[in-house]
Amino acid sequence: MNEQQKLTIKMALLFLIVFVFFGVIIVKEKFEVLFIPKVEKIFNTYLKDNYESLNYPINKNKITYKNNTFKIKITSPENKNLYFYLTYSDKKVKDTYKKDYVEGASLITHISKSIKKDILEKTNEDVKIIIDKKLTDFPENVQKILLTKNNYSSLKIYNIKKELIAKKWDYRIVSNNILSFVTILQENNITPKSYSFTITDENDLTKTVYISNLTEETIKKDDFDLIIKDILENNNSTILRSNNITFKYS
């Protein structure tokens, strides 16, 4: 067998491998498309059998297929940011109904992102938003507000976490930094339930204290300087305990 024949055979084998490879992909894609109506029936039956109390009409996105799993997003008619997922793989249906829909994890996540974005746009301050409650933890009237409201920054349902750099480890400077930050938020009708601050000494970056459970009322008090003074002196004083303020050095 000469070199030309060997080359021809190799080219033919390569063509066959490529043909089979792409053929398998095409067949697999066609199979997925053909199987979607069956999966849709499976999802509908699952919803009917498990969640008869689900508020209808619900909104259903198109079924998608990825990594051997079919997936559909079910959205509340009351709010597009309240939703859950059904997935189907290995002949089993799984859902995120309790966590995402009943407990409202999908909506709470949206609210947190919305507040963070609103604060950044209005004040140019980058903060972290913490909502420590599930949707079901709120009273029904508050739940309705969360489902219908578009702007959440004025609702006292969240905690703001903010990192601040102190140019000097002095209680007057630190308390003024905190007060200035809170004042900026107030001027923009941003009213969290509480604040947490991580304060770092600019002259010694290893010196950091985390202060939690500060409220707007506490920060506005005449004795707020004394509260910060005790914290910077690592003194868990009566005034801190009476205001339910905690701190921790790292």
Side-chain angles (χ1 to χ4, degrees):
M1 184 180 295
N2 57 37
E3 291 299 321
Q4 182 63 39
Q5 289 175 319
K6 290 180 180 179
L7 181 60
T8 301
I9 292 172
K10 288 180 181 179
M11 291 296 292
L13 287 172
L14 179 61
F15 175 79
L16 180 62
I17 291 170
V18 171
F19 178 79
V20 171
F21 175 75
F22 283 103
V24 169
I25 292 177
I26 292 171
V27 170
K28 186 172 181 292
E29 289 178 347
K30 293 294 184 182
F31 170 76
E32 293 161 8
V33 173
L34 291 173
F35 200 65
I36 282 179
K38 182 177 179 180
V39 174
E40 185 175 14
K41 290 181 180 179
I42 292 172
F43 283 154
N44 289 338
T45 300
Y46 183 87
L47 287 171
K48 183 178 179 181
D49 291 345
N50 292 276
Y51 304 119
E52 287 186 356
S53 60
L54 191 64
N55 291 331
Y56 286 90
I58 53 176
N59 301 316
K60 300 178 186 178
N61 284 24
K62 290 183 178 180
I63 297 173
T64 60
Y65 182 85
K66 187 178 181 181
N67 298 327
N68 298 318
T69 301
F70 291 92
K71 186 176 184 178
I72 189 171
K73 182 179 180 181
I74 311 295
T75 306
S76 166
E78 296 179 88
N79 191 308
K80 66 179 182 180
N81 298 298
L82 180 63
Y83 55 83
F84 67 100
Y85 291 100
L86 296 180
T87 57
Y88 179 76
S89 63
D90 298 326
K91 297 182 179 181
K92 292 181 181 179
V93 179
K94 295 181 180 179
D95 68 73
T96 63
Y97 176 76
K98 181 180 179 181
K99 179 182 177 182
D100 284 339
Y101 202 80
V102 177
E103 297 177 353
S106 57
L107 180 62
I108 296 298
T109 298
H110 164 73
I111 292 173
S112 298
K113 290 180 179 179
S114 176
I115 295 171
K116 178 181 173 69
K117 181 181 177 183
D118 190 41
I119 292 174
L120 185 61
E121 289 177 348
K122 290 179 178 178
T123 69
N124 204 32
E125 295 283 356
D126 187 20
V127 300
K128 185 175 182 180
I129 302 299
I130 303 295
I131 299 177
D132 56 9
K133 287 185 177 182
K134 302 171 185 176
L135 184 62
T136 46
D137 292 332
F138 293 102
E140 285 191 16
N141 60 327
V142 177
Q143 290 184 37
K144 290 180 180 178
I145 292 172
L146 296 180
L147 284 167
T148 56
K149 198 172 179 67
N150 293 320
N151 190 310
Y152 305 95
S153 302
S154 61
L155 300 178
K156 290 182 179 292
I157 61 168
Y158 61 98
N159 168 267
I160 285 182
K161 288 190 175 184
K162 176 66 177 175
E163 295 182 2
L164 294 175
I165 301 293
K167 292 185 177 298
K168 188 178 179 181
W169 205 249
D170 181 278
Y171 70 91
R172 288 170 292 244
I173 292 175
V174 173
S175 62
N176 281 336
N177 286 349
I178 293 174
L179 183 58
S180 296
F181 171 74
V182 172
T183 300
I184 291 172
L185 297 190
Q186 282 183 312
E187 290 172 350
N188 287 278
N189 197 30
I190 298 166
T191 55
K193 179 177 65 174
S194 62
Y195 297 86
S196 299
F197 292 96
T198 300
I199 313 294
T200 302
D201 187 352
E202 185 178 64
N203 301 304
D204 182 2
L205 298 181
T206 64
K207 187 188 292 184
T208 299
V209 62
Y210 176 71
I211 309 170
S212 58
N213 206 35
L214 287 173
T215 64
E216 183 181 302
E217 291 74 20
T218 303
I219 294 169
K220 293 288 186 177
K221 284 182 178 179
D222 292 335
D223 59 0
F224 184 61
D225 277 1
L226 298 178
I227 290 174
I228 298 301
K229 185 174 186 293
D230 284 338
I231 291 173
L232 296 190
E233 293 178 353
N234 202 10
N235 176 26
N236 189 18
S237 61
T238 302
I239 191 172
L240 266 67
R241 292 193 295 273
S242 63
N243 285 281
N244 199 28
I245 299 168
T246 60
F247 68 94
K248 181 180 180 181
Y249 277 86
S250 61

